[in-house]
Amino acid sequence: MTAHCEPSLEVVQLELMLDMSDLVALGFETALLNTLEQLDGRVLFNRRLDSDDDFQRVAAVAVGPERDVALVFLDHSGTSTSTEAAAGNQRAMAQEAIEEARKITDV
């Protein structure tokens, strides 16, 4: 897992590939899983954000050989995503995602 604040190449690729996905036709989960399959990634958690003003869902993912952790947010319209590297991120769920990634690398 990368310890710096700049997103890894895999996290940038994840964001670009999701931007090119047809979220309306595929749905968030399918688009995410298809993208992760291409990036040697996996979902750490995927949950609803009932009280968030900007997003309806968040998925934490680990991608690439270093298992870089990212948060992928789905907007309320269901038509676009926003991706953030978890390393150096101040959101509480970022730390939770990093802890989940540690569990899979310790196995």
Side-chain angles (χ1 to χ4, degrees):
M1 188 164 30
T2 306
H4 53 76
C5 295
E6 290 295 316
S8 68
L9 176 60
E10 288 83 0
V11 172
V12 172
Q13 286 179 310
L14 171 70
E15 182 172 32
L16 292 173
M17 291 172 75
L18 283 171
D19 285 348
M20 293 187 302
S21 295
D22 187 348
L23 291 172
V24 174
L26 295 174
F28 177 63
E29 186 171 5
T30 299
L32 183 63
L33 291 173
N34 289 347
T35 300
L36 290 173
E37 185 176 318
Q38 296 176 53
L39 295 174
D40 186 30
R42 69 184 293 174
V43 175
L44 302 170
F45 61 77
N46 181 0
R47 63 176 65 131
R48 291 177 51 112
L49 296 173
D50 292 324
S51 61
D52 193 283
D53 292 335
D54 299 315
F55 304 108
Q56 63 170 290
R57 296 197 74 77
V58 62
V61 299
V63 293
E66 298 297 317
R67 292 290 178 221
D68 296 301
V69 181
L71 300 173
V72 180
F73 296 92
L74 178 66
D75 73 346
H76 280 290
S77 70
T79 59
S80 68
T81 59
S82 176
T83 305
E84 300 175 2
N89 193 308
Q90 298 303 310
R91 295 180 190 265
M93 67 185 74
Q95 186 59 43
E96 180 185 353
I98 291 168
E99 291 300 320
E100 287 297 316
R102 284 189 183 128
K103 290 178 188 175
I104 64 168
T105 57
D106 289 343
V107 173

XYZ file of all heavy atoms in Angstrom:
814
model
N 0.848 -1.167 0.000
C 0.000 0.000 0.000
C 0.899 1.237 0.000
O 1.803 1.350 0.800
C -0.892 -0.042 1.225
C -1.928 0.998 1.234
S -3.233 0.624 2.436
C -2.402 -0.274 3.681
N 0.605 2.161 -0.886
C 1.406 3.365 -1.024
C 1.123 4.317 0.130
O -0.021 4.543 0.498
C 1.079 4.061 -2.366
O 1.245 3.099 -3.402
C 1.963 5.242 -2.600
N 2.174 4.919 0.692
C 2.023 5.746 1.887
C 1.988 7.236 1.578
O 1.933 8.037 2.481
C 3.164 5.455 2.853
N 2.032 7.622 0.323
C 2.024 9.047 0.007
C 0.632 9.500 -0.392
O -0.275 8.698 -0.549
C 3.042 9.348 -1.095
C 2.867 8.503 -2.309
N 1.872 8.712 -3.227
C 3.548 7.412 -2.735
C 1.955 7.811 -4.185
N 2.960 6.996 -3.899
N 0.446 10.809 -0.586
C -0.874 11.364 -0.845
C -1.239 11.395 -2.326
O -2.397 11.501 -2.659
C -0.965 12.771 -0.254
S -0.851 12.763 1.531
N -0.267 11.323 -3.207
C -0.553 11.316 -4.642
C -1.154 9.964 -5.015
O -0.679 8.937 -4.560
C 0.727 11.552 -5.449
C 1.274 12.955 -5.325
C 0.344 13.993 -5.908
O -0.206 13.783 -7.001
O 0.147 15.023 -5.247
N -2.192 9.969 -5.859
C -2.773 8.684 -6.244
C -1.806 7.878 -7.102
O -1.042 8.426 -7.897
C -4.019 9.074 -7.037
C -3.793 10.474 -7.472
C -2.880 11.098 -6.459
N -1.836 6.574 -6.937
C -0.991 5.680 -7.732
C -1.517 5.615 -9.161
O -2.643 6.027 -9.453
C -0.997 4.283 -7.119
O -2.291 3.708 -7.283
N -0.711 5.063 -10.036
C -1.118 4.884 -11.425
C -2.391 4.042 -11.505
O -3.293 4.337 -12.289
C 0.009 4.221 -12.225
C -0.313 3.888 -13.679
C -0.664 5.149 -14.460
C 0.855 3.165 -14.321
N -2.489 3.010 -10.682
C -3.659 2.145 -10.691
C -4.923 2.891 -10.262
O -5.999 2.662 -10.813
C -3.439 0.914 -9.802
C -2.481 -0.095 -10.372
C -1.011 0.232 -10.115
O -0.712 1.267 -9.477
O -0.158 -0.563 -10.557
N -4.800 3.784 -9.288
C -5.960 4.570 -8.853
C -6.383 5.532 -9.956
O -7.579 5.701 -10.222
C -5.664 5.307 -7.526
C -6.776 6.286 -7.171
C -5.466 4.296 -6.390
N -5.425 6.128 -10.642
C -5.739 7.020 -11.765
C -6.405 6.220 -12.885
O -7.405 6.659 -13.469
C -4.473 7.748 -12.268
C -4.750 8.514 -13.545
C -3.942 8.687 -11.184
N -5.877 5.035 -13.175
C -6.486 4.174 -14.194
C -7.908 3.801 -13.813
O -8.810 3.790 -14.663
C -5.668 2.896 -14.386
C -4.393 3.099 -15.132
C -3.613 1.801 -15.262
O -3.397 1.102 -14.269
N -3.189 1.494 -16.469
N -8.128 3.482 -12.556
C -9.458 3.156 -12.065
C -10.418 4.302 -12.350
O -11.509 4.102 -12.899
C -9.393 2.869 -10.557
C -10.710 2.723 -9.817
C -11.422 1.437 -10.226
C -10.471 2.746 -8.309
N -10.016 5.502 -12.008
C -10.870 6.663 -12.219
C -11.182 6.866 -13.701
O -12.331 7.077 -14.087
C -10.212 7.912 -11.646
C -11.061 9.149 -11.775
C -10.478 10.325 -11.024
O -9.251 10.433 -10.907
O -11.291 11.149 -10.558
N -10.167 6.782 -14.548
C -10.369 6.975 -15.990
C -11.266 5.896 -16.587
O -12.148 6.189 -17.408
C -9.025 7.002 -16.710
C -8.135 8.203 -16.418
C -6.762 8.018 -17.052
C -8.792 9.493 -16.886
N -11.045 4.658 -16.189
C -11.855 3.570 -16.724
C -13.311 3.679 -16.274
O -14.229 3.407 -17.057
C -11.251 2.224 -16.334
C -9.926 1.964 -17.039
S -9.069 0.502 -16.432
C -10.062 -0.779 -17.202
N -13.533 4.089 -15.035
C -14.907 4.274 -14.573
C -15.567 5.445 -15.290
O -16.762 5.391 -15.592
C -14.943 4.478 -13.057
C -14.762 3.222 -12.227
C -14.592 3.565 -10.760
C -15.930 2.264 -12.429
N -14.798 6.489 -15.585
C -15.335 7.631 -16.331
C -15.814 7.206 -17.719
O -16.739 7.796 -18.270
C -14.297 8.743 -16.469
C -14.088 9.532 -15.183
O -14.900 9.376 -14.243
O -13.103 10.290 -15.118
N -15.167 6.197 -18.285
C -15.545 5.718 -19.623
C -16.653 4.664 -19.583
O -17.193 4.293 -20.614
C -14.322 5.157 -20.343
C -13.296 6.219 -20.665
S -11.927 5.646 -21.685
C -11.238 4.323 -20.711
N -17.006 4.182 -18.417
C -18.048 3.158 -18.285
C -19.431 3.781 -18.418
O -19.651 4.923 -18.034
C -17.963 2.480 -16.913
O -16.772 1.773 -16.785
N -20.362 2.988 -18.941
C -21.754 3.417 -19.044
C -22.467 2.993 -17.760
O -23.007 1.891 -17.673
C -22.408 2.794 -20.271
C -23.803 3.319 -20.526
O -24.375 3.995 -19.636
O -24.332 3.056 -21.620
N -22.438 3.878 -16.771
C -23.007 3.560 -15.463
C -24.511 3.336 -15.526
O -25.054 2.537 -14.765
C -22.692 4.674 -14.462
C -21.233 4.811 -14.060
C -21.033 6.074 -13.231
C -20.762 3.598 -13.300
N -25.183 4.042 -16.416
C -26.634 3.892 -16.524
C -26.985 2.499 -17.036
O -27.843 1.819 -16.487
C -27.238 4.991 -17.427
C -28.723 4.760 -17.655
C -26.996 6.369 -16.816
N -26.296 2.051 -18.073
C -26.586 0.736 -18.655
C -26.107 -0.411 -17.769
O -26.804 -1.409 -17.608
C -25.957 0.626 -20.039
N -24.905 -0.265 -17.213
C -24.308 -1.357 -16.441
C -24.707 -1.361 -14.973
O -24.773 -2.412 -14.346
C -22.780 -1.279 -16.524
C -22.143 -1.494 -17.880
C -20.647 -1.234 -17.815
C -22.429 -2.900 -18.369
N -24.884 -0.189 -14.410
C -25.055 -0.061 -12.975
C -23.695 0.111 -12.311
O -22.664 -0.295 -12.864
N -23.692 0.716 -11.153
C -22.452 1.034 -10.445
C -21.643 -0.212 -10.129
O -20.453 -0.305 -10.429
C -22.782 1.811 -9.169
C -21.601 2.137 -8.311
C -20.586 2.962 -8.769
C -21.496 1.635 -7.022
C -19.492 3.282 -7.977
C -20.415 1.948 -6.210
C -19.412 2.776 -6.694
N -22.279 -1.207 -9.527
C -21.547 -2.386 -9.078
C -20.929 -3.155 -10.249
O -19.758 -3.543 -10.203
C -22.444 -3.309 -8.258
C -21.685 -4.459 -7.659
C -22.507 -5.258 -6.662
O -23.708 -4.998 -6.493
O -21.916 -6.150 -6.039
N -21.684 -3.345 -11.317
C -21.161 -4.074 -12.471
C -20.018 -3.311 -13.131
O -18.985 -3.896 -13.475
C -22.284 -4.358 -13.492
O -23.284 -5.158 -12.852
C -21.761 -5.084 -14.715
N -20.192 -2.009 -13.306
C -19.124 -1.192 -13.905
C -17.870 -1.252 -13.039
O -16.754 -1.383 -13.553
C -19.592 0.257 -14.073
N -18.040 -1.174 -11.732
C -16.911 -1.234 -10.813
C -16.219 -2.591 -10.886
O -14.990 -2.673 -11.004
C -17.379 -0.941 -9.390
C -16.311 -0.900 -8.310
C -15.313 0.217 -8.572
C -16.956 -0.729 -6.945
N -16.982 -3.675 -10.845
C -16.401 -5.016 -10.897
C -15.686 -5.272 -12.216
O -14.601 -5.874 -12.236
C -17.473 -6.073 -10.645
C -18.031 -6.127 -9.222
C -19.206 -7.104 -9.151
C -16.959 -6.470 -8.207
N -16.263 -4.822 -13.329
C -15.610 -4.975 -14.634
C -14.271 -4.243 -14.661
O -13.273 -4.761 -15.167
C -16.500 -4.454 -15.761
C -17.696 -5.329 -16.018
O -17.798 -6.450 -15.558
N -18.654 -4.789 -16.761
N -14.252 -3.051 -14.120
C -13.026 -2.250 -14.085
C -11.989 -2.902 -13.178
O -10.813 -3.012 -13.545
C -13.331 -0.814 -13.614
O -14.268 -0.231 -14.532
C -12.089 0.036 -13.552
N -12.401 -3.347 -12.015
C -11.470 -3.972 -11.073
C -10.881 -5.259 -11.625
O -9.717 -5.575 -11.354
C -12.157 -4.229 -9.730
C -12.483 -2.979 -8.923
C -13.317 -3.347 -7.701
C -11.228 -2.230 -8.534
N -11.644 -5.978 -12.410
C -11.131 -7.201 -13.019
C -9.937 -6.890 -13.923
O -8.959 -7.635 -13.946
C -12.233 -7.885 -13.820
C -11.827 -9.219 -14.391
C -12.977 -9.909 -15.097
O -14.103 -9.886 -14.576
O -12.725 -10.465 -16.168
N -10.004 -5.780 -14.617
C -8.923 -5.387 -15.517
C -7.703 -4.841 -14.775
O -6.604 -4.811 -15.318
C -9.421 -4.343 -16.502
C -10.512 -4.859 -17.423
C -11.038 -3.765 -18.314
O -10.265 -3.102 -18.984
N -12.346 -3.580 -18.311
N -7.898 -4.394 -13.548
C -6.823 -3.770 -12.777
C -6.319 -4.640 -11.633
O -5.629 -4.149 -10.745
C -7.300 -2.427 -12.209
C -7.625 -1.343 -13.225
C -8.216 -0.124 -12.531
C -6.377 -0.963 -13.998
N -6.654 -5.918 -11.635
C -6.262 -6.802 -10.550
C -6.697 -6.208 -9.209
O -5.909 -6.065 -8.275
C -4.745 -7.053 -10.560
C -4.312 -8.077 -9.526
O -5.117 -8.979 -9.216
O -3.176 -7.962 -9.016
N -7.976 -5.834 -9.145
C -8.482 -5.188 -7.935
C -9.606 -5.964 -7.295
O -10.097 -6.950 -7.847
N -9.985 -5.488 -6.126
C -11.101 -6.107 -5.421
C -11.832 -5.078 -4.581
O -11.261 -4.069 -4.166
C -10.628 -7.267 -4.567
C -9.783 -6.850 -3.381
C -9.245 -7.998 -2.608
N -10.311 -8.734 -1.949
C -10.139 -9.862 -1.297
N -8.955 -10.418 -1.237
N -11.122 -10.472 -0.698
N -13.096 -5.361 -4.323
C -13.938 -4.497 -3.495
C -13.673 -4.841 -2.035
O -13.673 -6.013 -1.647
C -15.436 -4.690 -3.828
C -16.310 -3.889 -2.876
C -15.713 -4.300 -5.274
N -13.451 -3.814 -1.236
C -13.285 -3.990 0.214
C -14.618 -3.815 0.926
O -14.929 -4.526 1.858
C -12.259 -2.989 0.742
C -10.879 -3.077 0.091
C -10.021 -1.899 0.499
C -10.213 -4.397 0.446
N -15.385 -2.830 0.500
C -16.773 -2.666 0.931
C -17.490 -1.778 -0.075
O -16.873 -1.056 -0.838
C -16.910 -2.140 2.370
C -16.305 -0.784 2.652
C -16.924 0.392 2.252
C -15.128 -0.686 3.381
C -16.371 1.627 2.541
C -14.567 0.546 3.689
C -15.190 1.714 3.264
N -18.813 -1.899 -0.094
C -19.668 -1.121 -0.982
C -20.930 -0.829 -0.195
O -21.641 -1.755 0.180
C -19.968 -1.924 -2.250
C -20.831 -1.169 -3.245
O -21.232 -0.039 -3.022
N -21.127 -1.828 -4.353
N -21.191 0.445 0.056
C -22.343 0.763 0.911
C -23.061 2.030 0.474
O -22.500 2.871 -0.209
C -21.912 0.866 2.359
C -20.933 1.978 2.647
C -20.622 2.084 4.124
N -19.940 0.900 4.586
C -18.838 0.892 5.304
N -18.286 2.025 5.667
N -18.270 -0.209 5.680
N -24.292 2.117 0.934
C -25.115 3.312 0.697
C -24.660 4.435 1.615
O -24.185 4.184 2.726
C -26.577 3.016 0.985
C -27.228 2.077 0.014
C -28.657 1.784 0.437
N -29.386 3.008 0.703
C -30.392 3.468 -0.021
N -30.818 2.776 -1.040
N -30.996 4.593 0.292
N -24.856 5.660 1.146
C -24.583 6.851 1.957
C -25.897 7.618 2.083
O -26.159 8.562 1.340
C -23.513 7.719 1.293
C -22.134 7.100 1.156
C -21.227 7.994 0.323
C -21.529 6.847 2.527
N -26.727 7.201 3.004
C -28.073 7.749 3.112
C -28.126 9.235 3.438
O -29.017 9.938 2.975
C -28.880 6.964 4.147
C -29.164 5.547 3.687
O -29.379 5.352 2.475
O -29.159 4.642 4.540
N -27.191 9.740 4.202
C -27.283 11.137 4.631
C -26.257 12.049 3.965
O -26.059 13.175 4.403
C -27.134 11.218 6.148
O -25.872 10.704 6.529
N -25.630 11.601 2.896
C -24.624 12.416 2.206
C -25.297 13.322 1.184
O -26.172 12.889 0.442
C -23.600 11.506 1.522
C -22.378 12.274 1.073
O -22.472 12.960 0.043
O -21.344 12.181 1.753
N -24.880 14.585 1.151
C -25.475 15.550 0.229
C -25.023 15.362 -1.218
O -25.720 15.761 -2.143
C -25.138 16.984 0.662
C -25.821 17.366 1.954
O -26.870 16.779 2.289
O -25.294 18.269 2.645
N -23.861 14.770 -1.415
C -23.291 14.687 -2.762
C -23.347 13.293 -3.389
O -23.417 13.180 -4.614
C -21.825 15.140 -2.736
C -21.680 16.581 -2.287
O -22.451 17.430 -2.758
O -20.791 16.844 -1.447
N -23.277 12.258 -2.573
C -23.134 10.909 -3.111
C -24.150 9.951 -2.518
O -24.515 10.070 -1.361
C -21.726 10.375 -2.835
C -20.641 11.273 -3.371
C -19.857 12.029 -2.503
C -20.415 11.384 -4.735
C -18.861 12.858 -2.981
C -19.425 12.212 -5.229
C -18.650 12.953 -4.355
N -24.548 8.951 -3.328
C -25.488 7.927 -2.850
C -24.802 6.639 -2.404
O -25.343 5.893 -1.610
C -26.537 7.606 -3.923
C -25.981 7.015 -5.204
C -27.050 6.503 -6.134
O -27.692 5.496 -5.823
N -27.237 7.173 -7.259
N -23.580 6.368 -2.935
C -22.856 5.147 -2.587
C -21.369 5.434 -2.509
O -20.868 6.364 -3.136
C -23.057 4.045 -3.632
C -24.460 3.547 -3.754
C -24.530 2.204 -4.471
N -24.061 1.109 -3.633
C -24.763 0.551 -2.648
N -25.952 1.000 -2.349
N -24.263 -0.454 -1.958
N -20.672 4.563 -1.777
C -19.211 4.568 -1.759
C -18.741 3.118 -1.764
O -19.323 2.260 -1.102
C -18.621 5.316 -0.545
C -19.028 4.669 0.777
C -17.106 5.426 -0.670
N -17.723 2.880 -2.557
C -17.056 1.577 -2.553
C -15.589 1.821 -2.245
O -14.974 2.733 -2.795
C -17.202 0.887 -3.906
N -15.061 1.020 -1.350
C -13.615 1.035 -1.093
C -13.037 -0.115 -1.879
O -13.591 -1.222 -1.889
C -13.332 0.874 0.387
N -11.932 0.150 -2.573
C -11.325 -0.869 -3.420
C -9.818 -0.900 -3.203
O -9.218 0.086 -2.770
C -11.627 -0.619 -4.914
C -13.129 -0.652 -5.168
C -11.035 0.683 -5.392
N -9.228 -2.040 -3.510
C -7.771 -2.196 -3.519
C -7.397 -2.601 -4.931
O -8.005 -3.515 -5.501
C -7.340 -3.258 -2.517
N -6.413 -1.911 -5.525
C -6.044 -2.163 -6.918
C -4.538 -2.325 -7.082
O -3.757 -1.758 -6.330
C -6.529 -1.032 -7.864
C -8.035 -1.008 -7.955
C -6.000 0.315 -7.435
N -4.185 -3.113 -8.086
C -2.790 -3.253 -8.463
C -1.994 -4.154 -7.552
O -2.483 -4.649 -6.539
N -0.739 -4.347 -7.921
C 0.124 -5.255 -7.156
C 0.430 -4.756 -5.739
O 0.689 -5.555 -4.849
C 1.396 -5.342 -7.996
C 1.377 -4.135 -8.861
C -0.060 -3.794 -9.088
N 0.382 -3.459 -5.542
C 0.632 -2.897 -4.207
C -0.635 -2.775 -3.371
O -0.591 -2.306 -2.242
C 1.285 -1.510 -4.336
C 2.634 -1.524 -5.028
C 3.667 -2.322 -4.256
O 3.726 -2.189 -3.020
O 4.389 -3.106 -4.900
N -1.768 -3.183 -3.961
C -3.066 -3.082 -3.281
C -3.336 -1.657 -2.796
O -3.702 -1.430 -1.639
C -3.172 -4.078 -2.130
C -3.224 -5.500 -2.594
C -4.535 -5.760 -3.281
N -4.617 -7.124 -3.796
C -5.140 -7.401 -4.982
N -5.585 -6.461 -5.752
N -5.211 -8.637 -5.396
N -3.140 -0.687 -3.708
C -3.447 0.705 -3.402
C -4.943 0.833 -3.142
O -5.762 0.268 -3.869
C -3.030 1.610 -4.558
C -1.526 1.595 -4.765
O -0.809 1.945 -3.820
O -1.084 1.214 -5.863
N -5.294 1.577 -2.104
C -6.680 1.680 -1.668
C -7.270 2.994 -2.149
O -6.642 4.051 -2.056
C -6.779 1.573 -0.133
C -8.220 1.660 0.328
C -6.136 0.276 0.348
N -8.508 2.899 -2.657
C -9.212 4.089 -3.133
C -10.668 4.011 -2.706
O -11.209 2.938 -2.445
C -9.120 4.192 -4.652
N -11.283 5.180 -2.642
C -12.719 5.298 -2.414
C -13.347 5.741 -3.724
O -12.871 6.695 -4.353
C -13.016 6.335 -1.330
C -12.412 6.065 0.044
C -12.637 7.260 0.959
C -13.000 4.806 0.659
N -14.410 5.059 -4.130
C -15.132 5.408 -5.350
C -16.540 5.808 -4.940
O -17.271 5.007 -4.350
C -15.173 4.234 -6.343
C -15.926 4.637 -7.606
C -13.763 3.756 -6.677
N -16.911 7.041 -5.254
C -18.215 7.579 -4.887
C -19.114 7.649 -6.114
O -18.664 8.034 -7.194
C -18.060 8.990 -4.317
C -17.287 9.038 -3.032
C -15.917 9.234 -3.048
C -17.929 8.887 -1.823
C -15.187 9.275 -1.871
C -17.209 8.926 -0.632
C -15.837 9.127 -0.651
N -20.382 7.310 -5.943
C -21.387 7.431 -6.997
C -22.286 8.604 -6.660
O -22.833 8.675 -5.551
C -22.212 6.144 -7.095
C -23.346 6.135 -8.121
C -22.788 6.221 -9.546
C -24.208 4.889 -7.947
N -22.443 9.524 -7.623
C -23.281 10.703 -7.361
C -24.757 10.312 -7.283
O -25.138 9.191 -7.608
C -23.037 11.790 -8.408
C -23.624 11.465 -9.769
O -24.007 10.309 -10.034
O -23.702 12.396 -10.594
N -25.581 11.258 -6.822
C -27.002 10.967 -6.625
C -27.733 10.649 -7.917
O -28.707 9.897 -7.905
C -27.694 12.116 -5.891
C -27.455 12.092 -4.417
N -27.993 11.137 -3.586
C -26.723 12.898 -3.627
C -27.599 11.346 -2.351
N -26.819 12.412 -2.336
N -27.280 11.181 -9.037
C -27.937 10.896 -10.316
C -27.614 9.497 -10.821
O -28.297 8.973 -11.700
C -27.530 11.929 -11.367
O -26.166 11.758 -11.727
N -26.558 8.883 -10.293
C -26.153 7.559 -10.724
C -25.430 7.546 -12.058
O -25.273 6.506 -12.678
N -24.951 8.718 -12.481
C -24.336 8.814 -13.803
C -22.847 9.110 -13.778
O -22.206 9.069 -14.822
C -25.029 9.907 -14.641
O -24.920 11.158 -13.953
C -26.492 9.566 -14.885
N -22.289 9.427 -12.612
C -20.851 9.697 -12.567
C -20.264 9.291 -11.224
O -20.957 9.199 -10.218
C -20.551 11.172 -12.853
O -21.018 11.986 -11.808
N -18.953 9.045 -11.277
C -18.228 8.646 -10.079
C -17.124 9.647 -9.788
O -16.712 10.414 -10.656
C -17.595 7.249 -10.244
O -16.693 7.275 -11.351
C -18.647 6.177 -10.438
N -16.653 9.604 -8.572
C -15.510 10.394 -8.131
C -14.608 9.448 -7.354
O -15.085 8.685 -6.510
C -15.988 11.538 -7.243
O -14.910 12.268 -6.735
N -13.314 9.472 -7.655
C -12.373 8.548 -7.032
C -11.347 9.318 -6.218
O -10.819 10.325 -6.681
C -11.663 7.710 -8.109
O -12.654 7.059 -8.905
C -10.749 6.675 -7.493
N -11.080 8.841 -5.009
C -10.093 9.456 -4.126
C -9.169 8.371 -3.582
O -9.632 7.309 -3.184
C -10.769 10.136 -2.930
C -11.734 11.236 -3.285
C -12.459 11.797 -2.068
O -12.182 11.349 -0.925
O -13.309 12.670 -2.257
N -7.879 8.653 -3.564
C -6.934 7.755 -2.907
C -7.225 7.772 -1.410
O -7.536 8.819 -0.839
C -5.507 8.195 -3.183
N -7.141 6.629 -0.779
C -7.409 6.551 0.662
C -6.218 7.045 1.482
O -6.390 7.611 2.560
C -7.770 5.134 1.062
N -4.995 6.820 0.980
C -3.795 7.252 1.704
C -3.805 8.766 1.842
O -3.969 9.488 0.857
C -2.545 6.801 0.967
N -3.677 9.244 3.045
C -3.659 10.679 3.306
C -5.028 11.330 3.284
O -5.145 12.527 3.492
N -6.075 10.555 3.059
C -7.438 11.076 2.997
C -7.969 11.264 4.420
O -7.766 10.408 5.273
C -8.308 10.091 2.214
C -9.646 10.644 1.817
O -10.380 11.158 2.645
N -9.966 10.514 0.543
N -8.683 12.351 4.651
C -9.174 12.662 5.997
C -10.529 12.037 6.322
O -10.991 12.128 7.459
C -9.255 14.179 6.181
C -7.907 14.870 6.058
C -6.880 14.328 7.032
O -7.143 14.223 8.227
N -5.718 13.947 6.529
N -11.172 11.422 5.353
C -12.476 10.802 5.616
C -12.298 9.586 6.530
O -11.371 8.806 6.364
C -13.132 10.341 4.319
C -13.488 11.464 3.374
C -14.122 10.857 2.125
N -14.303 11.794 1.070
C -15.433 12.461 0.834
N -16.472 12.281 1.618
N -15.520 13.296 -0.185
N -13.209 9.415 7.476
C -13.142 8.273 8.400
C -13.199 6.953 7.643
O -12.509 5.992 7.997
C -14.277 8.359 9.415
N -13.992 6.908 6.578
C -14.105 5.659 5.823
C -12.817 5.313 5.086
O -12.599 4.156 4.749
C -15.295 5.695 4.874
C -15.158 6.692 3.755
S -16.636 6.816 2.739
C -17.740 7.704 3.820
N -11.938 6.287 4.866
C -10.651 6.003 4.227
C -9.796 5.139 5.141
O -9.169 4.171 4.697
C -9.931 7.295 3.863
N -9.769 5.474 6.413
C -9.014 4.667 7.369
C -9.600 3.264 7.483
O -8.875 2.281 7.556
C -8.969 5.349 8.740
C -8.079 4.644 9.727
C -6.630 4.546 9.259
O -6.066 5.486 8.729
N -6.034 3.384 9.443
N -10.921 3.175 7.477
C -11.578 1.866 7.512
C -11.182 1.036 6.284
O -10.903 -0.159 6.393
C -13.088 2.053 7.552
C -13.855 0.761 7.589
C -15.355 0.955 7.519
O -15.845 2.094 7.574
O -16.048 -0.077 7.398
N -11.132 1.676 5.126
C -10.750 0.979 3.891
C -9.310 0.484 3.961
O -9.009 -0.644 3.550
C -10.941 1.912 2.697
N -8.420 1.305 4.494
C -7.016 0.906 4.638
C -6.899 -0.297 5.567
O -6.146 -1.236 5.303
C -6.165 2.104 5.117
C -6.074 3.138 3.980
C -4.789 1.653 5.576
C -5.512 4.480 4.408
N -7.670 -0.291 6.650
C -7.659 -1.428 7.579
C -8.180 -2.697 6.897
O -7.622 -3.784 7.102
C -8.488 -1.123 8.831
C -7.868 -0.061 9.718
C -6.494 -0.447 10.228
O -6.291 -1.630 10.588
O -5.607 0.420 10.255
N -9.225 -2.572 6.079
C -9.751 -3.728 5.361
C -8.705 -4.271 4.373
O -8.569 -5.478 4.221
C -11.044 -3.370 4.619
C -12.236 -3.185 5.516
C -12.620 -4.451 6.265
O -12.634 -5.548 5.657
O -12.903 -4.357 7.472
N -7.987 -3.382 3.712
C -6.946 -3.809 2.771
C -5.819 -4.532 3.497
O -5.268 -5.503 2.974
C -6.392 -2.602 2.014
N -5.482 -4.087 4.685
C -4.449 -4.774 5.466
C -4.862 -6.203 5.786
O -4.031 -7.111 5.800
C -4.169 -4.011 6.765
C -3.338 -2.789 6.542
C -2.896 -2.171 7.852
N -2.169 -0.956 7.562
C -2.416 0.220 8.095
N -3.373 0.354 8.996
N -1.710 1.273 7.762
N -6.137 -6.417 6.041
C -6.627 -7.756 6.349
C -6.407 -8.704 5.179
O -6.039 -9.858 5.376
C -8.113 -7.722 6.701
C -8.422 -7.069 8.011
C -9.916 -7.040 8.246
C -10.282 -6.217 9.450
N -11.745 -6.098 9.596
N -6.632 -8.222 3.954
C -6.485 -9.116 2.795
C -5.024 -9.358 2.455
O -4.688 -10.379 1.893
C -7.258 -8.629 1.557
C -6.724 -7.292 1.051
C -8.742 -8.587 1.819
C -7.239 -6.902 -0.305
N -4.133 -8.424 2.798
C -2.719 -8.630 2.500
C -2.060 -9.477 3.578
O -1.002 -10.054 3.329
C -1.957 -7.294 2.351
O -2.106 -6.524 3.538
C -2.462 -6.512 1.176
N -2.664 -9.566 4.751
C -2.107 -10.373 5.836
C -2.486 -11.841 5.715
O -1.949 -12.681 6.415
C -2.585 -9.857 7.198
C -1.950 -8.520 7.545
O -0.942 -8.172 6.916
O -2.507 -7.820 8.414
N -3.422 -12.155 4.823
C -3.915 -13.539 4.690
C -2.903 -14.395 3.980
O -2.159 -14.021 3.163
C -5.274 -13.554 3.941
C -5.708 -14.963 3.659
C -6.294 -12.818 4.746
